[in-house]
Amino acid sequence: MMEVHVCNSKGSVLRAFALGDSSELIIGRDMSCDIRIDAKAVSREHCSIEADGQDLILKDLGSTRGTMMKGERIDQVRLQDGMELQVGPAILKFFDNDI
């Protein structure tokens, strides 16, 4: 099962979430989001993680400042073990516990 760690800019884990129990998770600063990041640089509904068969796909939801991977803005990406994405000041680190 895939897991995401929400980290600060220094790499300290703030929270961890198991992925795969839901067909869609919303990440953003709004109180209704499944994974909430309370920062002005994060859009109310910033990005989503959706199941696509056996894969999990992260999609930017038209956020103002974008979802970044290796300094580049992305629209969507298939999540893989060891991947890191930036949402505002937070770093999202993905781990596949089945490996």
Side-chain angles (χ1 to χ4, degrees):
M1 176 176 285
M2 184 77 69
E3 190 173 284
V4 61
H5 293 183
V6 180
C7 304
N8 63 20
S9 60
K10 295 180 181 178
S12 298
V13 176
L14 304 174
R15 288 171 285 180
F17 298 90
L19 304 175
D21 293 336
S22 178
S23 61
E24 180 184 50
L25 293 172
I26 303 294
I27 300 169
R29 76 168 193 270
D30 193 80
M31 292 294 288
S32 66
C33 290
D34 301 297
I35 298 175
R36 187 164 181 261
I37 301 170
D38 189 20
K40 289 183 181 186
V42 177
S43 294
R44 286 184 188 96
E45 289 189 349
H46 198 98
C47 57
S48 67
I49 298 173
E50 300 174 14
D52 182 22
Q54 295 295 320
D55 294 330
L56 292 173
I57 308 295
L58 184 136
K59 295 180 181 179
D60 186 84
L61 298 174
S63 63
T64 303
R65 298 195 179 166
T67 302
M68 310 297 279
M69 185 170 88
K70 298 180 181 175
E72 298 290 324
R73 189 176 186 139
I74 57 131
D75 291 322
Q76 72 177 36
V77 66
R78 184 176 65 84
L79 297 176
Q80 298 178 16
D81 183 54
M83 184 175 279
E84 293 186 14
L85 301 173
Q86 186 169 356
V87 173
I91 305 297
L92 305 179
K93 296 183 179 183
F94 295 91
F95 301 96
D96 190 347
N97 292 332
D98 292 336
I99 295 180

